[in-house]
């Protein structure tokens, strides 16, 4: 059927035909230049899955005018047969649609995905229990294990800085540190977040300020021109060390995201207003919530963080 469609297309059209691989190359280039390496990685992952599907059909490539809604449905079914979870399938479909629409031929390829789920749904709650976060915050690195020591320092810093995203920790510069506070601009939303420097943060900041000869506070980024890639690889290493620490401490798996989500959950349990939590996390959008977020003072955000951290003896923030 696919070959028949392609044959009929060649007979009734004189336009130059473009292959999917060419469209993907265009999308990769745009993602790298105009978007982010994260988007580029997602594009490439979706393409690898689609190319495996084409190989399953006996094809090495396919012309985009040969793509049909039926073919996309078959791709989705093939992914299910490979035991790919629904949220991942939805992500592949969403990225595949985006790749096709990066090709500027005046055509919207969204129709190919009618009836196909491209929504990854709500993120599953990943907050840890307070006792497990306390174990992590109280842990000491083994002597002679600098990777474990660094991971523990970053975990404590992340939690004490109100669930600060790892990419923003990587981008934190010595010049950002002021008397009693620091501010950072969230990499994802561009929202500015004000962080009061408590005792635990002060100790970690001074420790790394004394070591660095770089503009960055932490030894994560070595080449600013390759920031996204270096930050991504460092995050992978950080989560790997957190996994090892979780096993060592006999607690459920803790990741960078779990630490961030946990701070927000504990703040909510302490009756902190959602608007204050949103500002602390650097959430930013055009909804009415944003008005309330911007209206909250940094003093309230700092107070919310103090209320959360005072419950953890391992941080010695009192």
């Amino acid at each position: 059927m696919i070959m028949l469609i392609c044959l009929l297309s060649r007979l009734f059209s004189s336009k130059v035909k473009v292959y999917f691989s060419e469209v993907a190359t265009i999308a990769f280039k745009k993602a790298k230049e105009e978007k982010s390496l994260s988007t580029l990685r997602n594009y490439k992952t979706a393409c690898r899955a689609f190319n495996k599907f084409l190989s399953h059909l006996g094809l090495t490539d396919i012309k985009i005018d040969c793509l049909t809604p039926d073919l996309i449905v078959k791709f989705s079914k093939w992914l299910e047969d490979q035991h790919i979870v629904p949220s991942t399938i939805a992500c592949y479909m969403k990225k595949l649609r985006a790749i096709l629409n990066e090709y500027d031929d005046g055509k919207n390829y969204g129709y190919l995905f009618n009836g196909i789920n491209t929504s990854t749904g709500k993120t599953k709650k990943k907050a840890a229990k307070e006792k497990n976060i306390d174990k992590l915050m109280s842990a000491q690195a083994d002597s002679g294990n600098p990777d474990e020591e660094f991971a523990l320092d970053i975990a404590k810093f992340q939690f004490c800085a109100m669930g600060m995203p790892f990419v923003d920790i990587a981008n934190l510069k010595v010049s950002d540190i002021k008397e009693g506070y620091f501010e950072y601009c969230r990499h994802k939303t561009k929202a500015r977040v004000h962080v009061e420097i408590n005792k635990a943060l002060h100790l970690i900041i001074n420790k790394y300020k004394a070591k660095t000869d770089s503009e960055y506070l932490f030894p994560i980024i070595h080449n600013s021109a390759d920031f996204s890639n270096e930050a991504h690889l460092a995050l992978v290493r950080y989560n790997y060390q957190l996994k090892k620490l979780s096993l060592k401490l006999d607690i459920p798996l803790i990741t960078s995201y779990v630490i961030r989500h946990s701070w927000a959950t504990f703040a909510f349990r302490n009756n902190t207003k959602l608007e204050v939590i949103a500002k602390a996390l650097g959430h930013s959008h055009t909804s009415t919530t944003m008005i309330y977020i911007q209206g909250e003072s940094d003093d309230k955000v700092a107070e919310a963080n103090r209320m959360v951290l005072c419950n953890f003896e391992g941080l010695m923030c009192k």
Side-chain angles (χ1 to χ4, degrees):
M1 177 60 73
I2 296 173
M3 297 304 177
L4 178 60
I5 293 173
C6 291
L7 177 61
L8 293 173
S9 179
R10 284 195 292 269
L11 290 173
F12 293 101
S13 175
S14 60
K15 287 185 178 181
V16 176
K17 302 304 173 188
V18 178
Y19 282 92
F20 174 76
S21 59
E22 298 174 80
V23 173
T25 299
I26 292 171
F28 294 165
K29 186 173 185 294
K30 285 187 177 182
K32 186 175 182 180
E33 294 177 352
E34 303 172 13
K35 297 182 180 180
S36 67
L37 286 180
S38 175
T39 299
L40 176 60
R41 283 191 290 269
N42 289 336
Y43 279 3
K44 287 186 174 181
T45 301
C47 281
R48 279 196 294 271
F50 187 62
N51 286 333
K52 286 181 181 179
F53 168 64
L54 292 180
S55 178
H56 167 72
L57 297 178
L59 302 171
T60 56
D61 204 346
I62 190 170
K63 292 177 180 178
I64 58 172
D65 62 318
C66 294
L67 297 174
T68 65
D70 181 62
L71 182 67
I72 301 302
V73 169
K74 289 180 178 177
F75 175 41
S76 179
K77 181 61 171 62
W78 179 80
L79 289 170
E80 290 179 16
D81 293 341
Q82 307 307 305
H83 306 292
I84 306 298
V85 298
S87 60
T88 301
I89 294 176
C91 184
Y92 286 165
M93 294 299 174
K94 185 176 181 179
K95 298 307 176 185
L96 185 62
R97 182 179 61 189
I99 288 167
L100 290 169
N101 282 328
E102 288 288 7
Y103 182 55
D104 189 16
D105 64 348
K107 186 176 181 180
N108 188 325
Y109 290 90
Y111 79 95
L112 293 171
F113 299 83
N114 287 343
I116 294 290
N117 180 32
T118 57
S119 174
T120 54
K122 293 183 179 180
T123 303
K124 185 179 179 181
K125 186 176 180 180
K126 297 183 178 180
K129 292 182 178 179
E130 288 192 16
K131 65 178 182 179
N132 294 329
I133 289 292
D134 202 25
K135 278 188 178 182
L136 182 65
M137 296 298 106
S138 303
Q140 298 295 320
D142 289 338
S143 177
N145 191 337
D147 291 337
E148 185 177 86
E149 179 184 2
F150 183 67
L152 277 171
D153 284 343
I154 295 300
K156 291 176 183 178
F157 188 91
Q158 184 182 16
F159 188 71
C160 292
M162 304 179 298
M164 186 174 177
F166 182 84
V167 67
D168 296 316
I169 293 176
N171 195 39
L172 190 64
K173 299 177 176 62
V174 175
S175 60
D176 293 327
I177 309 301
K178 310 299 180 183
E179 187 64 34
Y181 76 96
F182 67 83
E183 285 189 343
Y184 69 93
C185 181
R186 273 210 67 196
H187 183 78
K188 184 176 181 179
T189 65
K190 307 307 178 187
R192 294 205 66 82
V193 181
H194 180 103
V195 180
E196 178 185 68
I197 297 177
N198 51 52
K199 184 177 180 180
L201 286 175
H202 180 74
L203 292 172
I204 297 171
I205 288 171
N206 283 352
K207 175 180 178 178
Y208 286 90
K209 276 181 72 175
K211 293 180 178 181
T212 188
D213 57 358
S214 165
E215 63 175 325
Y216 296 104
L217 177 63
F218 296 106
I220 297 172
I221 305 301
H222 304 287
N223 178 12
S224 58
D226 194 29
F227 178 87
S228 293
N229 189 50
E230 286 196 0
H232 172 71
L233 293 175
L235 175 59
V236 172
R237 292 192 295 270
Y238 174 47
N239 279 326
Y240 173 69
Q241 288 298 324
L242 288 177
K243 180 179 180 180
K244 291 175 66 176
L245 280 164
S246 299
L247 291 171
K248 177 182 174 181
L249 298 171
D250 192 26
I251 59 177
L253 178 63
I254 291 180
T255 65
S256 174
Y257 180 77
V258 170
I259 292 173
R260 178 169 169 79
H261 194 107
S262 296
W263 185 92
T265 301
F266 301 154
F268 182 72
R269 288 174 187 167
N270 280 322
N271 298 316
T272 304
K273 291 197 299 182
L274 288 175
E275 306 87 71
V276 177
I277 297 172
K279 185 171 184 181
L281 295 175
H283 290 163
S284 176
H285 41 71
T286 57
S287 69
T288 306
T289 306
M290 187 60 191
I291 299 173
Y292 293 102
I293 293 173
Q294 296 299 337
E296 293 301 327
S297 70
D298 293 321
D299 288 341
K300 289 184 179 180
V301 173
E303 180 184 357
N305 197 30
R306 287 193 293 269
M307 289 177 64
V308 170
L309 300 185
C310 71
N311 296 315
F312 297 89
E313 295 181 2
L315 295 175
M316 299 179 294
C317 292
K318 295 180 181 179

